Amino acid sequence: MEGEQALYRPEAWFRAARGPRYEQLYRHLSAAIAAGELPPDSRLPPERELALIADVSRVTVRKAVSQLVEDGVLEQRRGAGTFVKPPRSRIEQSLSALLSFTDYMRQRGKTSSSRILRRGLFLPTPDETIALGLSAGERVARVERLRFADDIALALEWSSLPTDVLPDPEVVETSLYDVLRAAGTAPTRAVQRIAAVNLTAADAKLLLLPEGAAVLRIDRTAYLPSGRPIEFTRGLYRSDIYDFVAELRLGAS
């Protein structure tokens, strides 16, 4: 019991000038759940008791817990209390096939959707200039999206293309590749680079994860059959849900 209470005491989660108490408590509990310190089906102390242990008001506890319920990691059972929900089923995606997010979710029988964060014509970043082979002064068509599967936020994607390939980024809604296929400019191969990174506060808020949570970053450069690079996409994918799988074959000796 003493060890369980230590998880909720203010010295375990509160830091001066690090934001409102309810946000700090929310981030702390979210991280504890992700790390397994609060395993599935474990019960949180009642609201009044948790407020006493954490040395905060019941309103603060209620706001933190409500956010975790909204995130889908806690559930409130009538007459029983608040419990940690079992983890969501993981999604595996092969790295050996060039599929868009929408195409892959279709194969999995899931409904994909997107929230457009920003789209338009912009001056390219150095990464975009190099990946797409742009000349000085050229602009880039960029579409920034929050990607969902069955209403669960899974990924953030920033897709950039030369303006002659995508003259009007406003036409992109859910599937970029549907737009490219209709125009006859869909890529046929791609090179992907994968790294583990930690979320910034802004990106964490969009993905409903705690600041600093580990995610997978994938940079993809896609090419036409001619070899011309026509798409550079940088994506952040939730590592608690998403698995990327690569099949390896023994090379000739």
Side-chain angles (χ1 to χ4, degrees), residues 141-159:
R142 189 184 305 137
V143 181
E144 303 176 11
R145 294 169 291 172
L146 178 61
R147 313 303 303 273
F148 297 83
D150 293 345
D151 297 323
I152 297 173
L154 291 188
L156 281 164
E157 289 184 340
W158 297 262
S159 297

Side-chain angles (χ1 to χ4, degrees), residues 98-177:
L98 178 55
L99 287 174
S100 70
F101 181 93
T102 302
D103 290 336
Y104 187 71
M105 293 307 157
R106 284 172 184 156
Q107 286 189 1
R108 303 282 295 186
K110 296 181 179 294
T111 301
S112 65
S113 58
S114 299
R115 182 197 305 168
I116 303 296
L117 304 175
R118 187 169 66 153
R119 59 189 168 186
L121 304 180
F122 303 93
L123 291 173
T125 66
D127 285 346
E128 290 169 333
T129 299
I130 293 170
L132 298 173
L134 301 176
S135 302
E138 281 192 81
R139 289 183 171 250
V140 67
R142 189 184 305 137
V143 181
E144 303 176 11
R145 294 169 291 172
L146 178 61
R147 313 303 303 273
F148 297 83
D150 293 345
D151 297 323
I152 297 173
L154 291 188
L156 281 164
E157 289 184 340
W158 297 262
S159 297
S160 307
L161 299 93
T163 54
D164 64 316
V165 175
L166 185 65
D168 181 13
E170 296 290 331
V171 302
V172 178
E173 293 294 341
T174 297
S175 176
L176 169 63
Y177 276 33

Side-chain angles (χ1 to χ4, degrees), residues 209-227:
L209 292 173
E211 181 181 353
V215 294
L216 297 172
R217 190 185 84 184
I218 297 186
D219 289 354
R220 179 178 71 238
T221 305
Y223 301 82
L224 294 175
S226 65

Side-chain angles (χ1 to χ4, degrees), residues 49-101:
E49 181 182 337
L50 181 51
L52 286 172
I53 299 169
D55 193 24
V56 294
S57 70
R58 293 179 65 178
V59 171
T60 294
V61 169
R62 195 173 302 133
K63 289 179 72 173
V65 169
S66 295
Q67 184 61 59
L68 290 163
V69 170
E70 185 177 326
D71 292 354
V73 296
L74 291 181
E75 62 179 342
Q76 293 173 320
R77 302 174 189 169
R78 186 180 297 275
T82 303
F83 295 81
V84 178
K85 292 181 68 173
R88 299 183 178 100
S89 59
R90 300 183 70 83
I91 295 173
E92 288 190 358
Q93 180 167 343
S94 171
L95 291 173
S96 61
L98 178 55
L99 287 174
S100 70
F101 181 93

